[in-house]
């Protein structure tokens, strides 16, 4: 349950969390967090290396320290060491997601009040650069979640997986590395799969991870998959299409196979889980954060049984339904 706000101080802290978000995401976009992850440095040397304003950089570095992301030693600063991997180039680097998060809340600031007043919140189609930027952001955040899924979901007996709306294949990549017996196919749009195919081509997984271009609402999903994975994808659709996706997933699974949904957790009243409730706003009118009971009902209607839910973090769950043999 969320902490109840009782004082003016509580409200002020809540309002300032938006400023905290801005400071952190700007630090990620400008390279300050990456610079701090390289070791102790002065704000002036970071500003010089990144061609930033020294006064502004110093204030941001000190704010990052106050927030607990950085630590000080005399006049020099470094990232808080347990966080270093998240701001170093590589599979755990969160800076692409920070850039996406910053852009997201820029759009919130521009459109949220108008949407509340009844003006449609329109979404523009991403250009190729935007598709790549979004894909990198989802991979930056999703790879860590995929590690949690790999730990919670035993795939030792599975051979074929379909990853619906799987982007650049970050979930598939983690699961394939964890289970050498597994092969996977990602179903996503042509623009996304082209980039995913290019990214995976020179890796050891190239022969086990394939990409199929198409609209998942229209494309044939095939049959006899051991696992059909719907990771962070049903929230992109209104309820009738989300339910239809689970029916299609059940049809694409083999007898004895499974359908797995990974998404933000939210209670039946949709008011006790902060991340889930806020993310529901992010999906505006074209998607939603769906409750466990709703997802269970959709799975049962699709003929899936023994539906089980596992909390894989404080605000994400894994819901798995089994197709009778």
């Amino acid at each position: 349950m969320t902490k109840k706000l009782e004082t003016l101080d509580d409200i002020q802290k809540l309002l300032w969390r938006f400023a905290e978000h801005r400071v952190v995401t700007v630090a990620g976009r400008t390279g300050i967090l990456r610079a701090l992850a390289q070791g102790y440095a002065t704000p002036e040397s970071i500003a010089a290396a990144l061609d930033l304003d020294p006064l502004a950089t110093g204030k941001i570095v000190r704010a990052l320290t106050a927030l607990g992301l950085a630590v000080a030693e005399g006049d020099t600063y470094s990232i808080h060491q347990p966080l270093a991997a998240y701001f170093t180039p590589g599979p755990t680097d969160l800076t692409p997601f920070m850039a996406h998060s910053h852009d997201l809340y820029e759009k919130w600031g521009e459109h949220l009040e108008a949407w509340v007043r009844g003006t449609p919140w329109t979404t523009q189609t991403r250009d190729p650069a935007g598709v790549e930027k979004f894909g990198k952001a989802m991979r930056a955040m999703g790879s860590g979640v995929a590690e949690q899924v790999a730990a919670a979901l035993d795939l030792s007996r599975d051979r074929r997986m379909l990853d619906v709306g799987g982007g650049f294949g970050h979930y598939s990549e983690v699961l394939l590395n964890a289970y050498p017996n597994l092969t996977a196919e990602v179903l996503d749009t042509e623009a996304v799969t082209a980039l995913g195919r290019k990214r995976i081509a020179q890796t050891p997984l190239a022969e086990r991870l394939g990409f199929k271009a198409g609209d998942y609402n229209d494309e044939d999903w095939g049959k006899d998959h051991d696992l059909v994975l719907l990771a962070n994808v049903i929230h992109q659709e209104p309820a009738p299409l989300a339910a239809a996706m689970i029916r299609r997933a059940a049809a694409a699974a083999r007898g004895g196979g499974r359908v797995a949904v990974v998404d933000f957790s939210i209670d039946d009243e949709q008011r006790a889980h902060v991340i889930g409730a806020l993310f529901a706003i992010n999906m505006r009118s074209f998607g939603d954060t769906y409750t466990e009971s709703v997802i269970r009902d959709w799975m049962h209607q699709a003929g899936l049984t023994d539906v089980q839910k596992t909390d894989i973090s404080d605000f994400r769950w894994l819901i798995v339904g089994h197709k009778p043999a």
Side-chain angles (χ1 to χ4, degrees), residues 18 118 158 191 201 221-222:
F18 182 78
D158 294 342
W221 290 16

Side-chain angles (χ1 to χ4, degrees), residues 17 105 108 266 273-283 289:
R17 286 170 69 175
Y105 284 101
W108 274 41
I266 195 165
H273 289 76
V274 174
I275 300 297
L278 289 172
F279 193 79
I281 298 173
N282 185 54
M283 300 318 296
T289 312

Side-chain angles (χ1 to χ4, degrees), residues 184-320:
E185 182 176 63
V186 172
L187 172 61
D188 215 309
T189 65
E190 175 64 44
V192 172
T193 55
L195 291 169
R197 197 177 294 115
K198 180 179 179 182
R199 191 185 67 81
I200 209 72
Q202 304 303 318
T203 74
L205 294 179
E207 294 184 359
R208 295 168 54 208
L209 177 55
F211 290 84
K212 181 178 181 179
D215 182 341
Y216 55 60
N217 287 318
D218 300 322
E219 192 69 30
D220 178 15
W221 290 16
K223 293 187 178 299
D224 296 325
H225 300 286
D226 294 295
L227 177 72
V228 181
L229 178 65
L230 304 170
N232 298 311
V233 65
I234 66 169
H235 66 230
Q236 298 179 15
E237 304 296 341
L241 286 181
M245 290 183 72
I246 290 180
R247 291 196 299 271
R248 299 187 78 188
R254 67 166 176 83
R258 292 172 290 177
V259 173
V261 170
V262 180
D263 225 310
F264 293 103
S265 49
I266 195 165
D267 55 293
D268 283 342
E269 290 77 21
Q270 299 179 299
R271 63 193 185 203
H273 289 76
V274 174
I275 300 297
L278 289 172
F279 193 79
I281 298 173
N282 185 54
M283 300 318 296
R284 284 89 80 184
S285 305
F286 63 81
D288 210 342
T289 312
Y290 295 110
T291 67
E292 178 188 354
S293 60
V294 165
I295 295 171
R296 282 180 176 273
D297 285 346
W298 289 342
M299 286 188 168
H300 289 146
Q301 291 167 18
L304 301 173
T305 61
D306 189 24
V307 178
Q308 299 176 357
K309 186 262 289 184
T310 302
D311 292 318
I312 57 174
S313 75
D314 290 340
F315 55 89
R316 278 193 182 88
W317 53 30
L318 168 69
I319 301 178
V320 180

Side-chain angles (χ1 to χ4, degrees), residues 44-80:
E44 293 76 15
S45 66
I46 293 173
L50 300 175
D51 194 25
L52 301 175
D53 179 78
L55 176 64
T57 302
K59 289 192 174 186
I60 287 177
V61 168
R62 290 188 289 275
L64 293 173
T65 306
L67 290 170
L69 275 80
V71 293
E73 187 174 288
D75 294 330
T76 64
Y77 298 82
S78 176
I79 206 73
H80 179 46

